[in-house]
Amino acid sequence: MDEVLRRENLIAAYKRVIRNGGAPGVDGMTVDDLQVLPREHFTRIWEQLRNGTYQPQPVRRVDIPKPGGKGTRTLGIPTVMDRLIQQALLQVLQPIFDPTFSEGSFGFRPGRSTHQAVLSAREHIAAGYRWVVDLDLEKFFDRVNHDVLMARVARKVKDRQVLRLIRRYLQAGMMDGGLVSPRSEGTPQGGPLSPLLSNCLLDELDKELERRGHRFARYADDCNVYVQSEAAGIRVMASLERFLTQRLRLKINREKSAVARPWNRKFLGYSVTLHHKTKLKVAPASIKRLKGNLCELLRRGRGRNLSTVIRELRPVIRGWVAYFRWSDVKAVFEELDGWLRRKLRCILWRQWKRPRTRFRELRRRGLDATRAAASAFNGRGPWRNAGARHMNQAVPTKALAKLGLTSFTHEHQRLASSL
């Protein structure tokens, strides 16, 4: 606790919370409010932490849709002050725990990333482990047993004040609709300390996999174990289910978990090809999710200037391609380019509305009168016309590029060449 409350550590935590920003907690205090709090307020909190009387406030419940639109994920947003205290705890605890974590663990660790996890998975598959035990833990962050977790933390942390404070954060209630519900299990996502605590618990799974000599890659609660046959995978799945239930009191989601070929599953948005020389590719579910996100932006753009719509699309495209820059299969980027250009042409066709307007716009863009008339009055729908020759000629790829449209293919080539 002395180290947690050290002035330099608290200042570093304060700066990190300010930099991260984020939504307010149950007290409504924002990050901006934190910056103008009087010194006396911080002194009072410091004294409460020192004498062990500090009580964290409940977290604010926020439900966000899961990727793919199936169900929601519950976040618990701590107050700004509790985020500062959790960050101060994290800065002291992380150097104690992180060096002991497994090499197969990649989530929420300094110097480690999703890309390293994906590349590690590719190495295991390329080495001949062409079956995967894909584990999905059912509502992991909601089901963490506090006693089991605290027993793991207490193995390395002997300061009772720190242990008591961590348990209080685990047991802090969750406010929803003005009512606070107590928590007897779970470590809600949203606070700085939750990722480290989840790794402390799941490190026991990692150590068990290492003891058995398995090849695996884990990112948070997303764990893939690679084996050489389906029979071995079935045995591993059954034994790990028993281990997780008996030792960590966690439950496997049988609907989402499976023993399968890696190219039929996804891991952190990526999948692989079935070639002997394994290649990474974008998983179909990731493409579907991107198209859904882009369609939301495009629907909002129907009544606006096309260049404005393209300007909003640009950061989404660049961010997505940056994440999937390790993909070896380039065809998907070309397909996305064609799909997006057709979507943009579809917006224009809708904006022109009347056949006369469409005739005039097609003529203005270089089509002869006969062809422009036949196209403008053809009676077909916007999507059909957006993919037709007359719209490809009237609104060519170069014209969209001049408006600032970022190409998935060119962006991927640029990033891939720097790897």
Side-chain angles (χ1 to χ4, degrees):
M1 185 59 80
D2 290 339
E3 190 64 25
V4 171
L5 297 178
R6 189 167 53 87
R7 177 181 171 81
E8 291 77 11
N9 186 58
L10 289 173
I11 290 174
Y14 173 84
K15 290 180 178 177
R16 183 62 181 265
V17 170
I18 297 296
R19 186 166 65 249
N20 288 347
V26 295
D27 61 357
M29 182 186 292
T30 65
V31 170
D32 293 334
D33 296 331
L34 185 68
Q35 298 182 70
V36 296
L37 281 177
R39 183 183 294 270
E40 292 76 16
H41 187 87
F42 289 102
T43 302
R44 185 170 68 254
I45 298 295
W46 188 92
E47 289 173 351
Q48 291 175 355
L49 289 166
R50 169 61 65 194
N51 59 35
T53 60
Y54 181 78
Q55 289 289 345
Q57 294 192 61
V59 296
R60 181 169 64 87
R61 176 172 180 152
V62 176
D63 292 322
I64 61 172
K66 288 184 176 179
K70 294 182 179 179
T72 59
R73 175 175 288 117
T74 300
L75 302 183
I77 309 299
T79 64
V80 176
M81 184 58 70
D82 281 327
R83 293 211 291 270
L84 191 155
I85 297 168
Q86 287 192 36
Q87 181 64 36
L89 280 166
L90 176 67
Q91 290 167 180
V92 173
L93 296 176
Q94 187 116 46
I96 296 172
F97 284 97
D98 195 77
T100 68
F101 289 155
S102 166
E103 284 298 308
S105 167
F106 296 91
F108 309 119
R109 297 182 60 190
R112 291 185 162 238
S113 67
T114 52
H115 289 143
Q116 290 176 329
V118 169
L119 293 173
S120 174
R122 183 180 67 177
E123 288 178 10
H124 297 325
I125 299 166
Y129 295 78
R130 294 169 70 84
W131 285 88
V132 61
V133 181
D134 188 351
L135 293 174
D136 185 275
L137 300 178
E138 189 174 276
K139 296 183 178 178
F140 168 71
F141 285 95
D142 297 329
R143 297 279 175 83
V144 170
N145 184 281
H146 292 171
D147 292 334
V148 173
L149 172 57
M150 290 307 301
R152 271 66 184 172
V153 175
R155 290 174 183 175
K156 293 185 173 64
V157 177
K158 304 304 178 184
D159 190 323
R160 291 187 179 181
Q161 275 188 299
V162 170
L163 294 173
R164 194 181 303 120
L165 182 59
I166 293 173
R167 185 176 279 275
R168 283 176 181 171
Y169 272 117
L170 291 173
Q171 295 176 338
M174 179 174 285
M175 181 176 285
D176 184 23
L179 298 176
V180 177
S181 56
R183 293 186 67 87
S184 58
E185 62 178 5
T187 168
Q189 295 170 270
L193 203 54
S194 293
L196 177 65
L197 295 178
S198 67
N199 273 334
C200 289
L201 183 64
L202 291 176
D203 184 58
E204 187 142 345
L205 170 62
D206 299 339
K207 293 298 191 288
E208 178 66 15
L209 291 170
E210 288 179 342
R211 188 185 67 79
R212 298 182 186 184
H214 288 310
R215 290 173 174 252
F216 70 97
R218 181 179 68 79
Y219 192 95
D221 58 334
D222 197 347
C223 183
N224 279 5
V225 184
Y226 296 91
V227 294
Q228 292 180 307
S229 69
E230 184 178 16
I234 293 171
R235 287 196 303 271
V236 170
M237 175 69 84
S239 63
L240 289 180
E241 187 169 16
R242 288 193 299 271
F243 174 83
L244 288 165
T245 302
Q246 295 170 7
R247 292 285 293 275
L248 301 182
R249 301 188 191 178
L250 296 173
K251 187 178 179 182
I252 288 179
N253 187 328
R254 296 297 302 181
E255 291 183 5
K256 295 183 179 180
S257 302
V259 176
R261 293 291 197 178
W263 44 87
N264 293 327
R265 307 292 292 180
K266 66 180 178 67
F267 181 52
L268 301 176
Y270 280 84
S271 188
V272 295
T273 63
L274 51 73
H275 300 104
H276 181 70
K277 187 177 179 181
T278 307
K279 294 181 178 181
L280 291 174
K281 69 175 185 177
V282 183
S286 300
I287 299 168
K288 183 179 179 181
R289 192 179 311 136
L290 171 71
K291 286 184 174 181
N293 293 337
L294 291 178
C295 282
E296 285 294 321
L297 291 172
L298 292 166
R299 268 192 289 271
R300 297 204 300 265
R302 288 179 184 174
R304 293 187 294 165
N305 187 282
L306 201 62
S307 60
T308 303
V309 178
I310 288 173
R311 188 163 58 247
E312 292 183 359
L313 293 173
R314 198 180 303 141
V316 178
I317 295 170
R318 285 180 173 167
W320 192 85
V321 176
Y323 181 77
F324 289 105
R325 64 184 180 272
W326 286 96
S327 173
D328 300 308
V329 179
K330 301 175 177 59
V332 63
F333 300 98
E334 296 170 355
E335 186 272 332
L336 282 169
D337 275 331
W339 175 84
L340 183 55
R341 288 194 295 266
R342 187 171 179 178
K343 279 285 188 182
L344 293 170
R345 291 174 183 129
C346 190
I347 289 177
L348 280 178
W349 190 261
R350 288 178 183 276
Q351 287 178 348
W352 295 341
K353 291 183 180 179
R354 299 175 184 276
R356 289 181 187 175
T357 308
R358 290 167 179 167
F359 172 77
R360 186 177 66 249
E361 291 295 335
L362 292 173
R363 287 284 291 135
R364 191 167 68 84
R365 285 167 168 77
L367 271 69
D368 62 69
T370 303
R371 190 174 173 201
S375 302
F377 291 88
N378 63 25
R380 299 190 183 107
W383 183 247
R384 180 79 175 271
N385 276 287
R389 282 188 187 178
H390 55 266
M391 279 301 283
N392 279 274
Q393 182 180 336
V395 190
T397 301
K398 287 183 180 179
L400 293 173
K402 282 184 179 179
L403 292 175
L405 181 63
T406 301
S407 165
F408 285 93
T409 305
H410 294 163
E411 190 69 11
H412 178 256
Q413 289 173 347
R414 183 180 68 82
L415 293 172
S417 64
S418 63
L419 296 177

